């Protein structure tokens, strides 16, 4: 049977190896600060004498392709088949003399030149930024000149360690305050580079372009969101977190005719309302459409931003229901909420609801793969099914697409126990 050439390292496969090194930032780092990696030798899988004899034409074509590509790399060769079909010189090792040569091989010469130029510009702002360039080379390329501006902001923050103003009051020549809000992660890392503290960069892993997560940490203290934590770290003032809620009981006149109310998180912690049940929902229309219910309060959630509820201890004496999207992030939010209020019960996040609304399914493009330890058995089964694709690839059911009749039937206004998933208890059972 003829030997397939796919068993030997093709030019495309060699290029893929170099592309991987580029994607990992390795070629960029070596161009900036050589470690002795170059000349870089990449061993090639090549035909054996038997394979050369059995499929000489394929082996000849394979070798010809590599020989024709010589330029960005050179080839070390070996003689194969001397005792069978005669001596044949075959490629054995591809050698890249420098990082620049390997970048040229994959068409990245312009990007490499741009990286070195940006690094020089950032070092001109402050030489200590070289450490950051080495750790985040791909990030530097993505940011471009914005990295230089972030470096200027970092210098200002070092010179003004506790400005005592709001971020949007900051005045740095040529820098819009919205820029700071969009590049908090990079600015933080550059401040750390100025302090000679490479701890957060220790792994050298690459980041997306300042994808500062909006996910709040429920167990955190004052700085619960990325913006709040940034303000706290650098001594800025920060607007207080707020909680929006509706009083669903028309007989509750403690605040006159006010029903839809927004207060600071601190004020929310001090409320003492005669409510027995609280419903948390993330969708605004659902929040506004919830019908009147005796002794009930509705809270407009913020996705992962439930940290404002962390210190509202009075919720412990209420039945608390969470109504989120039936997708992996909906269950992750539920899990995090239970880290603060373990008695929270999910509503309309069950398999029956999911399957009854197939026509409303949409695509969850970035599902969560986190391990969640605070879900009930049934919740965990649905979560795992969404993760594994057993319902279909990337299935999600947004809560606002659930039929309202279905909602009314299952969220019985005359009962404190709608169709729910009871939470786990502290002993670990369900």
């Amino acid at each position: 049977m003829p030997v397939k050439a796919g068993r030997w390292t093709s030019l495309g496969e060699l290029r893929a190896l170099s592309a991987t090194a580029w994607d990992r930032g390795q070629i960029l780092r070596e161009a900036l600060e050589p470690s002795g990696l170059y000349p870089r030798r990449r061993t090639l899988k090549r035909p054996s004498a038997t394979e050369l004899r059995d499929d000489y034409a394929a082996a000849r074509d394979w070798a010809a392709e590599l020989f024709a590509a010589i330029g960005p790399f050179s080839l070390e060769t070996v003689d194969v088949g001397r005792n069978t079909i005669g001596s044949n010189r075959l490629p054995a090792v591809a050698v890249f003399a420098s990082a620049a040569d390997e970048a040229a091989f994959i068409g990245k010469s312009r990007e490499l030149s741009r990286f070195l130029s940006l690094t020089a510009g950032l070092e001109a702002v402050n030489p200590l930024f070289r450490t950051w360039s080495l750790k985040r080379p791909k990030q530097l390329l993505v940011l471009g000149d914005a990295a230089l501006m972030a470096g200027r902001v970092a210098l200002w923050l070092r010179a003004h360690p506790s400005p005592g103003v709001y971020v949007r009051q900051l005045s740095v020549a040529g820098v819009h305050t919205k820029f700071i809000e969009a590049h908090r992660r990079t600015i933080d890392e550059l401040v750390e580079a100025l302090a000679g503290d490479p701890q957060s960069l220790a792994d050298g892993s690459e980041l997306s372009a300042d994808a500062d997560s909006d996910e709040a940490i429920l167990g955190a203290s004052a700085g619960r969101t990325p913006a709040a934590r940034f303000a706290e770290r650098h001594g800025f003032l920060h607007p207080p977190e707020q909680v929006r809620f509706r009083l669903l009981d028309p007989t509750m006149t403690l605040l006159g005719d006010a029903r839809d109310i927004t207060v600071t998180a601190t004020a929310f912690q001090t409320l003492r309302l005669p409510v027995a049940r609280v419903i948390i929902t993330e969708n605004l229309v659902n929040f506004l459409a919830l019908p009147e219910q005796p002794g009930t309060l509705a809270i407009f959630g913020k996705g992962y931003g439930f940290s404002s509820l962390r210190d509202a201890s009075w919720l412990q004496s209420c039945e608390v229901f969470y109504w989120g999207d039936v997708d992996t992030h909906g269950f992750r939010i539920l899990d995090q909420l239970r880290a603060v209020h373990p008695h929270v019960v999910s509503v309309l996040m069950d398999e029956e609801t999911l399957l009854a609304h197939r026509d409303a399914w949409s695509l969850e493009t970035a599902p969560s793969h986190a391990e969640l330890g605070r879900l009930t058995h049934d919740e965990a089964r649905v979560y795992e099914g969404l993760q594994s694709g057993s319902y279909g690839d990337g299935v999600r059911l947004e809560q606002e697409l659930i039929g309202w009749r279905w909602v009314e039937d299952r969220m019985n206004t005359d009962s404190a126990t709608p169709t729910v998933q009871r939470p786990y208890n502290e002993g670990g059972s369900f």
Side-chain angles (χ1 to χ4, degrees), residues 13-127:
E13 290 168 335
L14 180 61
R15 186 170 283 113
L17 290 173
S18 295
T20 297
W22 175 272
D23 291 340
R24 291 175 177 171
Q26 188 180 66
I27 295 175
L28 292 168
R29 293 187 186 96
E30 288 293 326
L32 180 59
E33 194 167 287
S35 69
L37 180 63
Y38 291 90
R40 182 176 204 158
R41 304 174 74 256
R42 292 196 180 276
T43 302
L44 307 173
K45 293 181 180 178
R46 61 183 185 274
S48 65
T50 300
E51 290 170 335
L52 188 63
R53 180 195 63 199
D54 293 345
D55 200 352
Y56 185 82
R60 179 191 59 203
D61 292 345
W62 167 81
E65 181 185 43
L66 288 169
F67 281 124
I70 287 177
F73 60 87
S74 60
L75 286 173
E76 296 178 0
T77 61
V78 294
D79 283 336
V80 178
R82 180 184 300 273
N83 298 323
T84 53
I85 63 172
S87 179
N88 288 268
R89 188 166 57 93
L90 296 182
V93 180
V95 182
F96 295 92
S98 66
D101 286 343
E102 192 158 17
F105 177 54
I106 54 175
K108 297 292 186 180
S109 293
R110 180 178 298 179
E111 288 88 341
L112 177 58
S113 177
R114 174 66 169 154
F115 167 73
L116 294 175
S117 175
L118 287 168
T119 298
L122 196 54
E123 286 189 57
V125 176
N126 191 286

Side-chain angles (χ1 to χ4, degrees), residues 116-349:
L116 294 175
S117 175
L118 287 168
T119 298
L122 196 54
E123 286 189 57
V125 176
N126 191 286
L128 290 172
F129 290 149
R130 181 182 180 87
T131 300
W132 184 84
S133 298
L134 282 167
K135 295 297 184 179
R136 303 283 190 243
K138 295 291 295 299
Q139 181 79 349
L140 178 54
L141 270 178
V142 170
L143 289 171
D145 290 335
L148 308 184
M149 193 175 294
R152 291 173 53 208
V153 174
L155 284 176
W156 189 95
L157 291 174
R158 184 180 68 167
H160 304 81
S162 187
V165 297
Y166 291 99
V167 170
R168 291 213 172 183
Q169 291 179 282
L170 185 61
S171 179
V172 178
V175 179
H176 196 288
T177 52
K178 287 185 178 180
F179 172 87
I180 299 173
E181 294 170 352
H183 297 87
R184 290 186 297 258
R185 184 72 171 267
T186 294
I187 292 168
D188 272 343
E189 293 186 344
L190 289 172
V191 169
E192 290 165 359
L194 289 171
D197 178 11
Q199 185 61 36
S200 69
L201 305 176
D203 63 355
S205 60
E206 286 295 337
L207 304 171
S208 59
D210 271 298
D212 217 350
S213 172
D214 285 330
E215 180 175 329
I217 300 176
L218 288 169
S221 56
R224 296 165 180 153
T225 64
R229 293 195 293 273
F230 181 87
E232 186 178 32
R233 274 193 298 274
H234 301 294
F236 287 105
L237 302 176
H238 189 70
E241 292 183 76
Q242 296 186 323
V243 181
R244 181 177 177 181
F245 62 92
R246 285 181 62 222
L247 298 172
L248 302 184
D249 189 339
T251 67
M252 203 176 297
T253 58
L254 296 177
L255 298 174
D257 292 333
R259 290 287 179 270
D260 191 334
I261 302 161
T262 300
V263 299
T264 66
T266 301
F268 186 77
Q269 296 166 18
T270 67
L271 294 181
R272 295 295 181 267
L273 300 174
V275 297
R277 182 162 69 161
V278 172
I279 301 172
I280 303 170
T281 182
E282 293 182 54
N283 180 263
L284 178 59
V285 172
N286 289 350
F287 168 76
L288 295 173
L290 283 171
E292 294 181 350
Q293 302 183 47
T296 303
L297 177 147
I299 296 175
F300 181 37
K302 302 176 184 177
Y304 285 105
F306 283 125
S307 57
S308 56
L309 308 181
R310 185 177 66 91
D311 296 321
S313 58
W314 60 270
L315 291 175
Q316 299 292 341
S317 62
C318 302
E319 283 195 294
V320 181
F321 299 98
Y322 173 67
W323 178 15
D325 295 329
V326 188
D327 61 13
T328 61
H329 285 280
F331 283 109
R332 188 176 179 187
I333 293 167
L334 171 65
D335 182 83
Q336 288 201 7
L337 183 56
R338 283 186 180 146
V340 177
H341 298 294
H343 66 301
V344 169
V345 174
S346 68
V347 59
L348 296 167
M349 296 179 68

